[in-house]
Amino acid sequence: MSGRILVVDDNPLNVKLLAARLTREYYAVVTAGCGADALALAFKEPPDLVLLDVMMPDIDGYEVCRRLRADARTRHVPVIMVTALSDIEDRIKGLEAGGQDFLTKPIQDTALLARVRSLLRLKMVMDEWRLRQNTSNSLGVEAGKFDEDVDISAPSVLAVIDDMLELDQVRAALAPLGAHLTQVATTAEAAKEAALKQNYDLAICSLTLRQDDGLRICPELRGQEKTRYLPILLLGDQADQERVARGLDLGANDYLLRPIESVELAARVGNQVRFRRSYERLKQSYEQSLSLALTDPLTGVFNRRYFDYHLPQLLRRCFEVNKTLGLLVIDADHFKSVNDRFGHDAGDKVLQELALRLLNNLRPSDFVARYGGEEFVVVLPETDSPTAQSIGERLCEAVGKVPFVLPDPHGEQIVTISIGGAIMRANETPADLFKRADRAAYGAKQAGRDRVVFSP
């Protein structure tokens, strides 16, 4: 995953080493040697993530972080505090200033890169929701706001911990938050079943379970729609650095290494609960407010009005941050014959099921709109050509492999789709991008249908 990272340190050697590590992983890196320069760079062109040294001569890292959080332009940029300090008070101060993590020098490459990937992945999803909010507000539909204060009291916490002493310690640490702590059987499968039955604000999972591999909690929860964005906090030993890094890549949001410090655990839990409740509040408000104004009443996906407004906004943002974007134009094959043979009720049923299959086979950051009739469009942020091609082929298979159930007495009917794709070009207009994808869709039909064709 690409990203623009601001590295801040008053030691030129540290800056050079960190920049080299990140550049090798194909991140775009900008650097600053003091707090004032870091703030100027961040406010001028907000980065995707900041690696921020704490001990600097002009403005220390804590104050830089507080100022970033106080400005609307940088409020949502993840910050990793980097320092030689290792006292618990320093970590708490960093978290309270708004930092997402606190890495101690010398920094291990595995821990650093796993944390960077995890935070960039989360920011990508949140940026897409913020962009959708801005789009809806511009169209006169007021959605929820990320920036409002969020109540983090009385969180419901799912604890996957089989050590009773540690469970008691976690419960005591979270008592000031009024947390409702639920212990679950000591396996990932049992945790998944519990999370599907009840709504939680957070899952805390031990990496040292006796009956299971604690890392399994990540794919189990991320693989379910209901728990895809449930924050996961891992508890591990000092020797578990490699497994913690693996957990972050599997979808964990945060971690804490033993011995557990109660104040730090409470601070990290508070941060995750704040994210969870902000996300849920905006999502619910957004879905309610847009259900009539910007969604297609038949299929429930976005309508053309939303697409025509949102695509230019998204394209402009991609140009500004030097990221790419893919567009798919999808047309149901021989759809007129479905209406002619079985009636418009059957055609409506096919369109509803087609939209559902598209939604179920896309990523959270992608969005689908019904462009008109039997034609749909899919926007793929931060997607290159091979990935977009793979997504298109997955959609073709998901639609054409399983027959559509028609209203009685018509039985079942196989329906396929033809997909045309295009990847944005430098300074390309939304209209030109759509035309290329639309021509490619026509090419897919000419080539025999039920396939994906991409614009050169």
Side-chain angles (χ1 to χ4, degrees):
M1 180 180 295
S2 61
R4 182 172 176 272
I5 300 177
L6 172 60
V7 176
V8 187
D9 198 310
D10 63 326
N11 187 324
L13 179 59
N14 290 339
V15 171
K16 186 175 181 179
L17 289 174
L18 276 174
R21 292 179 187 177
L22 296 167
T23 301
R24 283 198 301 269
E25 299 297 321
Y26 303 100
Y27 295 111
V29 179
V30 291
T31 62
C34 66
D37 289 347
L39 291 170
L41 285 170
F43 293 152
K44 181 179 180 182
E45 186 176 354
D48 293 305
L49 185 143
V50 178
L51 283 172
L52 179 61
D53 185 39
V54 169
M55 304 301 292
M56 290 186 293
D58 60 338
I59 309 173
D60 68 28
Y62 302 124
E63 181 59 26
V64 171
C65 191
R66 280 190 285 268
R67 294 188 189 182
L68 290 174
R69 289 289 168 265
D71 193 284
R73 294 167 291 181
T74 54
R75 185 166 297 148
H76 306 291
V77 176
V79 176
I80 300 177
M81 314 288 282
V82 180
T83 182
L85 303 173
S86 58
D87 290 343
I88 180 62
E89 291 80 6
D90 298 312
R91 295 204 299 272
I92 298 302
K93 192 175 179 181
L95 293 170
E96 291 178 343
Q100 271 70 29
D101 205 353
F102 202 96
L103 298 182
T104 304
K105 300 176 184 178
I107 302 173
Q108 293 183 339
D109 282 2
T110 302
L112 169 66
L113 296 175
R115 201 58 169 128
V116 166
R117 288 191 294 267
S118 174
L119 290 173
L120 288 178
R121 184 170 58 244
L122 180 62
K123 184 177 183 293
M124 175 182 169
V125 173
M126 299 297 273
D127 280 350
E128 173 60 21
W129 276 104
R130 274 189 286 272
L131 189 59
R132 293 181 185 184
Q133 172 193 317
N134 292 337
T135 298
S136 62
N137 289 344
S138 299
L139 290 172
V141 181
E142 184 67 25
K145 290 181 170 58
F146 272 104
D147 299 333
E148 296 174 351
D149 290 335
V150 178
D151 179 17
I152 63 171
S153 65
S156 178
V157 179
L158 171 64
V160 190
I161 302 171
D162 58 6
D163 185 313
M164 297 306 297
L165 290 177
E166 183 165 83
L167 183 66
D168 289 341
Q169 186 179 7
V170 170
R171 182 177 283 110
L174 302 187
L177 296 177
H180 304 290
L181 197 66
T182 303
Q183 185 191 15
V184 179
T186 57
T187 66
E189 180 65 26
K192 180 185 73 173
E193 292 177 2
L196 291 176
K197 292 178 182 177
Q198 181 178 335
N199 292 324
Y200 291 96
D201 293 302
L202 174 73
I204 300 179
C205 181
S206 170
L207 289 176
T208 53
L209 298 174
R210 300 184 186 92
Q211 301 179 34
D212 201 355
D213 181 351
L215 283 180
R216 294 188 186 279
I217 191 71
C218 299
E220 290 288 358
L221 294 183
R222 293 295 172 257
Q224 303 295 320
E225 179 65 27
K226 180 178 179 180
T227 58
R228 188 157 293 156
Y229 296 108
L230 176 65
I232 301 172
L233 190 152
L234 301 176
L235 300 179
D237 294 325
Q238 295 293 331
D240 287 331
Q241 292 279 4
E242 294 286 339
R243 298 188 70 221
V244 164
R246 178 65 173 156
L248 292 172
D249 282 338
L250 288 171
N253 300 75
D254 203 354
Y255 66 93
L256 186 61
L257 299 180
R258 301 178 180 98
I260 296 173
E261 296 287 347
S262 296
V263 179
E264 182 177 3
L265 176 60
R268 291 185 182 273
V269 167
N271 284 343
Q272 295 304 320
V273 172
R274 184 175 293 107
F275 158 74
R276 170 70 168 182
R277 292 184 176 177
S278 295
Y279 173 84
E280 287 297 325
R281 182 172 64 185
L282 177 66
K283 182 172 180 288
Q284 292 170 8
S285 174
Y286 177 84
E287 290 171 348
Q288 292 169 2
S289 61
L290 298 188
S291 60
L292 294 177
L294 300 176
T295 57
D296 175 53
L298 176 64
T299 62
V301 300
F302 292 115
N303 59 21
R304 180 171 176 175
R305 179 189 182 196
Y306 182 88
F307 170 78
D308 286 342
Y309 191 91
H310 187 66
L311 180 61
Q313 308 296 316
L314 189 55
L315 202 59
R316 186 180 305 114
R317 178 177 173 273
C318 288
F319 287 139
E320 290 173 352
V321 298
N322 195 30
K323 294 178 180 178
T324 188
L325 174 143
L327 178 66
L328 304 180
V329 172
I330 301 172
D331 201 53
D333 297 328
H334 302 298
F335 183 74
K336 185 176 182 299
S337 67
V338 175
N339 281 332
D340 292 344
R341 291 175 58 195
F342 307 111
H344 287 280
D345 287 347
D348 289 349
K349 183 72 173 178
V350 167
L351 291 176
Q352 290 170 338
E353 177 64 20
L354 172 56
L356 183 61
R357 294 188 191 187
L358 295 178
L359 288 170
N360 288 340
N361 286 277
L362 290 169
R363 304 166 302 180
S365 57
D366 306 329
F367 85 83
V368 185
R370 185 183 178 195
Y371 196 75
E374 67 271 24
E375 191 173 41
F376 294 80
V377 287
V378 175
V379 179
L380 308 170
E382 298 190 32
T383 305
D384 56 20
S385 185
T387 304
Q389 177 80 31
S390 175
I391 291 172
E393 291 171 355
R394 183 170 73 238
L395 295 177
C396 271
E397 182 178 2
V399 172
K401 189 174 182 180
V402 180
F404 285 65
V405 178
L406 304 182
D408 291 336
H410 302 303
E412 297 180 340
Q413 176 71 23
I414 289 289
V415 177
T416 61
I417 55 175
S418 297
I419 299 180
I423 302 298
M424 61 178 256
R425 295 171 177 169
N427 300 316
E428 186 171 36
T429 66
D432 288 340
L433 176 63
F434 177 82
K435 286 178 183 177
R436 289 199 296 117
D438 195 42
R439 284 196 298 267
Y442 179 77
K445 285 186 173 293
Q446 292 295 102
R449 295 182 169 85
D450 190 20
R451 66 193 63 219
V452 183
V453 172
F454 260 75
S455 172

